[in-house]
Amino acid sequence: MTMLGVCCAVAVGQASVAAGPLRLWYRAPATVAGERETGWSWQNSRAWSRALPVGNGRLGGMVFGGVPIERVQLNELSLWSGWPYDADNPDAARVLPEIRRLLFEGRYADAEKLTYEKLACKGPGSGSGNGAKGPYGSYETLGDLRIAFDGHEQFADYRRELDLRTGVASVSYKVGGATFRREVLSSAPARALVVRLTCDRPRSLTFTASLSRPECAVVGAEAGAALVMGGRLSEGKGIRYAARLQVAPQGGKAEATEAGVRVTGANSVTLILTAATDYRTSAVPSRVARDRAAAASARAYSTLRNEHIRDHQRLFDRVDLELPAAETATLPTDERLAAYASDKPDPTLEALYFQYGRYLLIASSRPGGLPANLQGIWAESIQTPWNGDYHHNINDQMNYWPAETTNLAECHEPFLDFIGSLVEPGRKTAKVQYGLNGWVVHTISNIWGYTSPGEHPSWGQFPAAGAWLCRHIWERYLFGGDRRFLARAYPTMRECARFFLEFLVEDPKTGVLVTAPSNSPENAFKTPDGTVASVCYGPTMDMQILRELFGHCIEAAGILNTDKEFADRLRSARNRLSPNKIGKDGRLQEWIEEFEEPEPGHRHMSHLYGLHPGYEITPRGTPELARAARASLERRLASGGGHTGWSRAWVVNFWARLEDGDQAYSNLRALLARSTLPNLFDNHPPFQIDGNFGGTAGVAEMLLQSHASTRQGENGQAIPEIALLPALPARWPEGSVRGLCARGGLVVDLSWSKGALTTARIQAVRSATVMLRCGKQAVVLDMKSGQAAVWDGRSAPVVGRAETGS
Ligand code: FUC
């Protein structure tokens, strides 16, 4: 190992060769003959799974590219039915000791029965994922913009695409020798969705544009070729919303009636769509939509387009990934995916999928907004599957796995804000449900501050959810190093830890501290008397999560120079938490006892949390546990695990952390081949966006890791380890990546050839001492803020002043 100082200037920012085309494209519109639109259904239509998403973090559009009728299905991220309601159960705290006694006596079925009767939420909860008409509510479609073109029944030379580099969806086709072109974008700076229609033959654009929604919608026409749609959800008790369409033709005429805006004989047309709700604001939605439309309409389309692209590229262009091209790379995306599923290699499709996850995060999660939900911001019907809510037992956390590592820290913010917003309702839930201080949230939340347990304890009694969410605060701090952010967010972590200090209870048999009652998401076990139960105490995942939360709080208190006594209490509780256990068969145990599993291939692999996203199990730091985690993973997969999209994506991350690139790769392949829809949306089924984000995170994890540390020197100082290409698969012998982020404030560019690192460039945004690791080689670098290092994985690295820009 070598310790290096500054010796020269190092050029950075020139690692990547030209990037491959980052486009999804198709030869046919996203329509399926004879299929009815869903309106209310839990499923998305097949056509919708072919449409292409645009979004500005708030306003989403699914572009079908239809001819003669274009349909852009619309969403606004705060458009939820339901309302805030008190679901905390006043009976719960009283029965808590009894439930615990039953659990500790091994009477799991009885404990579960009592939990169902007395500890579950009051009222309908999430309505088993059918909450649209109840208080829990559902994320809902905003409706549809339709553009019906006159005389376009016959068309030729059709193509539609989504360009990930610009965030512009486009459609082109010919009718009778004239070429028609559409572009659709959702602009963050303009806060509007914009459709641009052109034709190379003058006065050829004649169409009717209309707005509709399956329910709760009144549509009216206004002067200036505008349509306004609005209403109030939940039978007049819920949210108010408005959408506005403003149509500006160049040449020709436009006139609005309730049936739509009729445009005749235009040369080109710009349609501006804006929307707003009164969620947490007193502003009137129709006025907000009108003001935004007025501001956007005052700008030329070319200006709107340029501003949108600049804004999008500021985020998107931070990362490039180059992988070997394949023959099928030139095919339309649906055909390419089909070829891939029939075993054709296509690494650039994997790179496209990686970048698509980044695209989707940029389009669905922007500062000031709500976080990306189960479907990001794209949902076709009134009753979105699982209410399109926030599930905190894997799903919304997975949404944000790629945020920091793939250089999109800003996109993490809505999630961090959302976590903070749970503290107040969660404090009440802690008091009512358990009679305790601090705050708690369970498996699910809506936008109304729902923190109570779910209606079925088998999945809904997961009190460690908030502690899992808190790791995102700590991760933000590790990547960003912003002490002020930590000071602001620390109380959320501390109050969460406070709850657990009080909630933890001693297992009378062993004296360890455990959570009770809880579940190991959403798995079941066979109790000693043969019945199947889910409610348990001290599941491995809870213990891993709490070791982490307490550790992070202790560190944060040290950094902020506060709460010394509290940190001491956390330290002693942490040491008493039930440890990871390895079962007789060599697997990591999921529960405190070695139970038989009725479903050994269960999609959740919660006890592997310590391997990923946690840090406590690493191949070099805890080899025995890493072997046990591997054995658990192998058994899960051999029994059919990884069958939902997000589950498969998690498996990619597990293998990456186990530094097995080929296994990570074959599961990435399975994710694309078996759990991906024609528009590259993840297919749970149905569509659920977590798998997209988990897949993107998995690819980043294969190329760069920064969660582990090595102890060095006489006093065993922990040095963060930056692992370069820790899980590079044989199928990616050549390649390069630019702009990935490592904890500690490092930005990393890598290129490799014949499966070996050729150059790594590491820029330090903050001063840091780190160990670079590549295979068996390791060097310690002492880097100052603004410096860069170049290393080939063999010789001594060169550290110098970073010369950014090539
Ligand atoms: C979790 C998972 C399900 C689904 C739901 C939205 O509860 O167990 O598979 O993803 O969230």
Side-chain angles (χ1 to χ4, degrees):
M1 255 170 243
T2 348
M3 181 74 107
L4 291 136
V6 182
C7 56
C8 58
V10 171
V12 292
Q14 55 189 17
S16 79
V17 283
L22 288 175
R23 280 193 206 109
L24 281 68
W25 75 278
Y26 306 81
R27 288 195 177 112
T31 46
V32 172
E35 191 185 37
R36 288 186 49 206
E37 278 169 27
T38 58
W40 245 90
S41 149
W42 222 69
Q43 295 288 333
N44 302 305
S45 67
R46 281 164 60 216
W48 194 84
S49 311
R50 293 161 194 217
L52 295 170
V54 294
N56 65 4
R58 288 178 165 76
L59 192 54
M62 291 292 285
V63 184
F64 285 63
V67 188
I69 302 176
E70 172 63 286
R71 174 184 176 205
V72 182
Q73 185 269 314
L74 305 164
N75 287 103
E76 202 284 340
L77 94 162
S78 62
L79 193 70
W80 267 76
S81 57
W83 55 88
Y85 86 108
D86 182 1
D88 293 332
N89 190 339
D91 290 340
R94 204 172 29 85
V95 297
L96 186 60
E98 174 66 1
I99 292 172
R100 288 177 164 174
R101 189 181 62 78
L102 292 168
L103 285 171
F104 292 139
E105 284 176 9
R107 293 168 60 189
Y108 293 100
D110 294 338
E112 180 155 313
K113 188 162 172 282
L114 196 54
T115 308
Y116 264 80
E117 283 166 10
K118 302 283 187 198
L119 207 111
C121 64
K122 195 178 67 186
S126 73
S128 296
N130 282 295
K133 289 292 164 206
Y136 188 85
S138 175
Y139 181 61
E140 300 188 352
T141 178
L142 170 65
D144 292 289
L145 160 64
R146 279 195 170 69
I147 310 172
F149 296 89
D150 291 27
H152 285 205
E153 285 69 24
Q154 303 298 323
F155 60 95
D157 293 349
Y158 180 92
R159 180 184 166 109
R160 68 186 168 101
E161 68 171 51
L162 173 65
D163 185 344
L164 303 188
R165 287 209 176 274
T166 59
V168 177
S170 58
V171 180
S172 64
Y173 56 92
K174 283 195 171 129
V175 175
T179 302
F180 289 83
R181 205 177 143 73
R182 278 173 225 161
E183 288 191 340
V184 185
L185 57 93
S186 182
S187 160
R191 307 212 269 185
L193 185 138
V194 185
V195 181
R196 173 74 172 167
L197 305 173
T198 54
C199 179
D200 61 0
R201 186 181 289 168
R203 305 206 161 278
S204 297
L205 285 160
T206 294
F207 62 87
T208 304
S210 59
L211 290 178
S212 63
R213 188 173 192 276
E215 60 169 42
C216 304
V218 176
V219 181
E222 280 193 14
L227 287 182
V228 186
M229 179 170 74
R232 189 162 188 191
L233 306 189
S234 299
E235 288 161 1
K237 296 194 291 275
I239 216 162
R240 289 188 181 83
Y241 77 92
R244 185 183 182 93
L245 175 71
Q246 213 149 297
V247 181
Q250 286 79 48
K253 274 197 328 217
E255 199 191 339
T257 66
E258 263 131 63
V261 179
R262 178 75 184 150
V263 173
T264 40
N267 299 324
S268 60
V269 187
T270 304
L271 296 90
I272 307 275
L273 187 292
T274 54
T277 73
D278 65 355
Y279 176 66
R280 294 195 170 156
T281 170
S282 55
V284 178
S286 57
R287 286 198 204 129
V288 176
R290 187 195 58 202
D291 294 348
R292 287 181 187 165
S297 304
R299 307 176 95 63
Y301 176 68
S302 57
T303 310
L304 289 170
R305 189 181 195 276
N306 289 341
E307 286 172 351
H308 159 70
I309 292 175
R310 210 173 309 128
D311 170 74
H312 174 72
Q313 292 186 340
R314 180 178 57 82
L315 298 165
F316 188 81
D317 283 359
R318 290 176 187 166
V319 172
D320 276 323
L321 174 61
E322 292 285 314
L323 293 174
E327 259 170 46
T328 50
T330 53
L331 290 175
T333 307
D334 45 355
E335 293 172 33
R336 189 174 175 190
L337 190 62
Y340 187 85
S342 71
D343 234 18
K344 291 260 182 338
D346 189 351
T348 47
L349 181 64
E350 291 145 10
L352 180 72
Y353 187 83
F354 165 79
Q355 289 286 28
Y356 193 46
R358 296 186 64 248
Y359 169 86
L360 293 172
L361 196 61
I362 293 168
S364 63
S365 186
R366 291 290 194 104
L370 286 159
N373 61 41
L374 284 170
Q375 298 203 172
I377 51 169
W378 299 279
E380 188 183 18
S381 45
I382 298 292
Q383 181 56 69
T384 302
W386 289 286
N387 302 317
D389 71 2
Y390 300 96
H391 268 59
H392 320 300
N393 65 4
I394 182 70
N395 316 91
D396 57 9
Q397 291 97 338
M398 184 178 281
N399 281 3
Y400 286 91
W401 287 351
E404 299 289 342
T405 53
T406 76
N407 218 331
L408 296 173
E410 294 91 330
C411 299
H412 206 174
E413 278 179 34
F415 193 45
L416 300 168
D417 292 345
F418 187 73
I419 295 166
S421 79
L422 297 175
V423 174
E424 199 189 307
R427 201 175 272 146
K428 184 181 147 293
T429 299
K431 263 274 160 337
V432 176
Q433 290 282 143
Y434 307 104
L436 301 179
N437 297 302
W439 70 277
V440 65
V441 63
H442 300 78
T443 314
I444 50 171
S445 295
N446 53 15
I447 66 166
W448 308 114
Y450 187 97
T451 47
S452 316
E455 61 273 21
H456 290 275
S458 64
W459 54 262
Q461 179 57 33
F462 177 54
W468 186 347
L469 293 174
C470 282
R471 88 182 310 277
H472 283 259
I473 297 173
W474 185 244
E475 286 274 277
R476 175 82 281 269
Y477 174 71
L478 290 183
F479 280 91
D482 182 349
R483 198 172 174 278
R484 273 178 314 182
F485 163 77
L486 186 65
R488 249 191 346 266
Y490 168 69
T492 300
M493 294 163 63
R494 183 192 56 213
E495 291 307 295
C496 180
R498 185 179 302 277
F499 170 80
F500 283 103
L501 276 182
E502 295 185 19
F503 183 68
L504 284 168
V505 56
E506 193 176 283
D507 174 355
K509 284 197 286 291
T510 58
V512 298
L513 292 180
V514 292
T515 48
S518 189
N519 68 47
S520 184
E522 305 181 9
N523 206 354
F525 52 91
K526 262 203 193 133
T527 67
D529 66 9
T531 49
V532 172
S534 295
V535 172
C536 66
Y537 66 96
T540 302
M541 175 183 241
D542 281 10
M543 300 295 102
Q544 294 173 343
I545 290 175
L546 290 187
R547 267 192 293 279
E548 211 176 61
L549 172 71
F550 288 5
H552 295 164
C553 282
I554 294 164
E555 276 193 69
I559 293 163
L560 299 170
N561 202 11
T562 185
D563 282 343
K564 224 177 146 319
E565 205 189 310
F566 182 68
D568 286 342
R569 284 176 59 204
L570 289 175
R571 226 170 258 121
S572 60
R574 190 175 192 270
N575 290 336
R576 293 185 57 202
L577 289 169
S578 174
N580 286 311
K581 290 181 177 172
I582 299 175
K584 288 196 280 298
D585 58 2
R587 286 186 295 155
L588 195 65
Q589 267 179 227
E590 181 159 359
W591 294 275
I592 207 151
E593 293 178 60
E594 204 173 2
F595 292 125
E596 206 185 306
E597 300 147 287
E599 195 190 330
H602 197 270
R603 62 195 180 285
H604 286 266
M605 293 164 233
S606 306
H607 51 313
L608 304 188
Y609 174 96
L611 175 67
H612 185 279
Y615 322 143
E616 74 175 22
I617 301 176
T618 60
R620 277 174 296 281
T622 57
E624 227 186 307
L625 288 174
R627 269 195 299 279
R630 186 186 178 109
S632 289
L633 181 57
E634 280 169 346
R635 171 74 70 81
R636 241 355 183 248
L637 290 171
S639 315
H643 50 283
T644 68
W646 62 257
S647 178
R648 183 68 68 189
W650 201 359
V651 172
V652 176
N653 287 273
F654 288 139
W655 282 119
R657 286 275 173 99
L658 289 168
E659 301 183 345
D660 191 325
D662 289 337
Q663 290 285 5
Y665 181 82
S666 74
N667 283 281
L668 177 67
R669 210 173 201 300
L671 177 64
L672 265 151
R674 292 190 225 151
S675 301
T676 299
L677 294 161
N679 61 2
L680 300 191
F681 269 173
D682 170 63
N683 196 14
H684 180 287
F687 162 52
Q688 206 171 283
I689 206 161
D690 40 19
N692 285 102
F693 294 135
T696 294
V699 171
E701 210 63 42
M702 289 161 78
L703 301 173
L704 182 74
Q705 292 177 17
S706 60
H707 60 285
S709 57
T710 305
R711 300 222 164 259
Q712 264 217 334
E714 276 170 20
N715 46 11
Q717 191 206 347
I719 301 182
E721 237 185 77
I722 312 294
L724 312 176
L725 305 178
L728 188 69
R731 290 293 192 97
W732 296 347
E734 317 286 323
S736 69
V737 67
R738 178 182 63 82
L740 294 182
C741 293
R743 292 166 188 83
L746 303 167
V747 183
V748 178
D749 305 343
L750 303 168
S751 40
W752 63 94
S753 180
K754 300 196 179 83
L757 181 74
T758 48
T759 319
R761 287 185 173 79
I762 295 107
Q763 293 179 69
V765 180
R766 316 197 289 279
S767 301
T769 300
V770 293
M771 177 188 284
L772 291 190
R773 174 183 290 284
C774 183
K776 292 198 164 45
Q777 303 295 319
V779 288
V780 174
L781 287 183
D782 203 5
M783 293 178 74
K784 300 273 169 298
S785 151
Q787 282 189 333
V790 174
W791 190 40
D792 63 6
R794 295 178 302 278
S795 18
V798 180
V799 182
R801 196 166 22 83
E803 282 181 358
T804 43
S806 43

